[in-house]
Amino acid sequence: VQTCALPISEDWRLRLVQGVTMFDRAEFDYGRKVELKEYTRERDAAFAAMQGAAALYSAGVEAMPEGERTAVAFLQWFNTTLGASDLAYLTRQQEPETNHLARVRSALMGLPSAVRDAHVAEFGKAVAAGLSSIKPELKARYLKAGLAVAGEHPSMAEVRKVVRHYDDLLDEVLLDVRVDGPAEVGHATPFGVHVALRYTEAVGRESGNFSKYLQNQQKFQNFINPYGTPPVNYRDDFEKHLRSTWDKNFEVLAVTFHDERVEPRGFGRAGWKETPYAYVMLKAKDASVDRLPSLRLDLDFVDRHGTVILPASSSVQIVDARQARGTTARAATALRAKPPGAPRACAANSRGPRNP
């Protein structure tokens, strides 16, 4: 790019290629664990080049033949703000650059009025079409980022509809985490935590009461998913997430899952059911611990756009670990072989502490 005959500063296409190349180089260097300040400098330079490409395009678009007009500069800039120049390589760990999304929107909406609508329409159609190539766990994030740029435009009508559908689903499913007993858990005595999925009866009927999330599907020989997705070890994946989330402040002594045949039950909310999921034995590491961080359980749904994975998240639970010893009732509970309310699971379903 640097040795082209036409100076980069005069051609928006070359400036865009320069920006994308610089971004990919920054991500490559990040994988090599370069210093953070170096990585940040490279990314900032890449975004500046792409912003410059959009500005060059905007300045000359009215003089271009209609066949040469395109929203590609804005689309490529948008993609990199999500974390990858090629959306096929986008991962969950990459967070959108929200400040750059605002800049993409400002640049797109700042196009001359005579050509603005056509470019925004092209952008909206491209975002909707890109849904088919996005990983299931990233679809909601991708579409919401697109809405942040051009959400009110008619071309985004389908995107708005899909995002509303995703939001409605998450409004009907909750991950419930509750301490078994009082919140005064101490830091010398183990205590139990109930984990359950709560959902509307309508969503429960469509999802088989979410019993599949109590399975490790890869253990089944010749497992076939009717939607073509590979088998998922839901229990193992959730346990790994739980341990990585809670291990900083708690010893995770055991995680016991309910049997997949467990029956859903009411819990006092009309039109809703609860499927017990797991019982966790914890011990606070010191007296400073004051909360159980939020947990996430990935739920997969299927619609006409394919599979989408949406996270059901629990609320943060406040606890008090200041006392060196728990109450007598807490200590008695911890010594029982089967804590009150714990699942009637086989011993093989209970897992003690793991070595890091």
Side-chain angles (χ1 to χ4, degrees):
V1 174
Q2 295 287 2
T3 58
C4 289
L6 186 62
I8 288 177
S9 60
E10 296 180 11
D11 190 285
W12 71 267
R13 299 175 188 83
L14 295 181
R15 180 71 70 87
L16 181 63
V17 170
Q18 180 193 38
V20 172
T21 303
M22 292 168 68
F23 180 87
D24 289 342
R25 173 60 186 267
E27 294 303 303
F28 174 76
D29 285 345
Y30 181 79
R32 294 194 303 123
K33 302 186 183 302
V34 298
E35 291 187 12
L36 182 59
K37 64 180 181 180
E38 177 65 16
Y39 168 69
T40 302
R41 184 191 65 77
E42 291 179 347
R43 273 176 65 98
D44 288 346
F47 284 129
M50 284 180 275
Q51 186 170 359
L56 284 171
Y57 177 84
S58 181
V61 63
E62 289 185 292
M64 294 178 187
E66 188 171 343
E68 294 182 11
R69 295 172 182 174
T70 173
V72 68
F74 307 95
L75 284 164
Q76 189 63 70
W77 187 10
F78 169 74
N79 289 351
T80 55
T81 64
L82 298 180
S85 59
D86 185 337
L87 293 179
Y89 295 98
L90 191 62
T91 68
R92 197 171 200 165
Q93 287 69 39
Q94 294 160 319
E95 293 292 333
E97 296 278 351
T98 53
N99 59 330
H100 282 285
L101 285 175
R103 293 176 188 176
V104 175
R105 174 180 171 81
S106 178
L108 185 61
M109 298 303 171
L111 284 165
S113 57
V115 299
R116 182 188 307 132
D117 188 71
H119 285 77
V120 179
E122 181 183 341
F123 181 93
K125 291 176 183 177
V127 170
L131 185 60
S132 61
S133 63
I134 298 294
K135 297 181 179 71
E137 65 272 21
L138 299 173
K139 286 183 176 181
R141 178 194 299 178
Y142 167 74
L143 294 181
K144 288 182 178 181
L147 289 178
V149 175
E152 72 281 3
H153 194 269
S155 65
M156 298 290 280
E158 178 63 18
V159 173
R160 290 193 296 271
K161 182 179 178 181
V162 174
V163 169
R164 281 196 301 268
H165 173 59
Y166 292 167
D167 289 342
D168 288 344
L169 284 173
L170 287 179
D171 284 341
E172 297 189 52
V173 185
L174 303 172
L175 185 64
D176 183 64
V177 172
R178 290 174 291 116
V179 174
D180 185 8
E184 293 76 19
V185 299
H187 59 272
T189 303
F191 65 98
V193 175
H194 293 283
V195 182
L197 265 173
R198 293 179 168 181
Y199 45 85
T200 63
E201 293 177 347
V203 169
R205 285 192 298 269
E206 296 173 5
S207 304
N209 296 318
F210 298 95
S211 60
K212 74 176 183 180
Y213 297 97
L214 285 161
Q215 298 176 348
N216 280 333
Q217 294 177 339
Q218 292 179 2
K219 74 176 183 180
F220 301 124
Q221 291 185 350
N222 303 318
F223 176 86
I224 298 176
N225 189 312
Y227 301 107
T229 55
V232 179
N233 284 343
Y234 292 107
R235 289 187 353 182
D236 285 355
D237 289 349
F238 179 76
E239 183 174 346
K240 290 175 184 176
H241 166 68
L242 181 151
R243 288 180 180 274
S244 66
T245 302
W246 284 355
D247 184 65
K248 179 180 178 181
N249 293 319
F250 298 92
E251 294 179 49
V252 182
L253 303 176
V255 180
T256 305
F257 288 90
H258 285 260
D259 188 273
E260 63 184 89
R261 293 167 293 184
V262 65
E263 291 293 326
R265 62 196 183 194
F267 61 93
R269 184 174 179 180
W272 285 64
K273 292 289 187 181
E274 173 184 85
T275 293
Y277 192 63
Y279 191 86
V280 186
M281 293 299 296
L282 300 174
K283 182 179 176 183
K285 290 185 175 180
D286 58 55
S288 67
V289 176
D290 62 358
R291 68 194 61 203
L292 280 168
S294 174
L295 292 178
R296 183 192 75 239
L297 178 62
D298 288 337
L299 306 175
D300 47 78
F301 300 92
V302 178
D303 59 19
R304 63 191 183 90
H305 296 286
T307 300
V308 59
I309 295 176
L310 302 174
S313 299
S314 67
S315 300
V316 174
Q317 298 296 303
I318 302 300
V319 296
D320 184 352
R322 289 175 293 178
Q323 296 296 322
R325 298 178 61 187
T327 63
T328 301
R330 173 80 67 194
T333 298
L335 291 173
R336 293 192 181 109
K338 291 183 179 179
R344 298 175 179 272
C346 300
N349 285 349
S350 182
R351 300 174 182 170
R354 291 179 173 174
N355 294 325

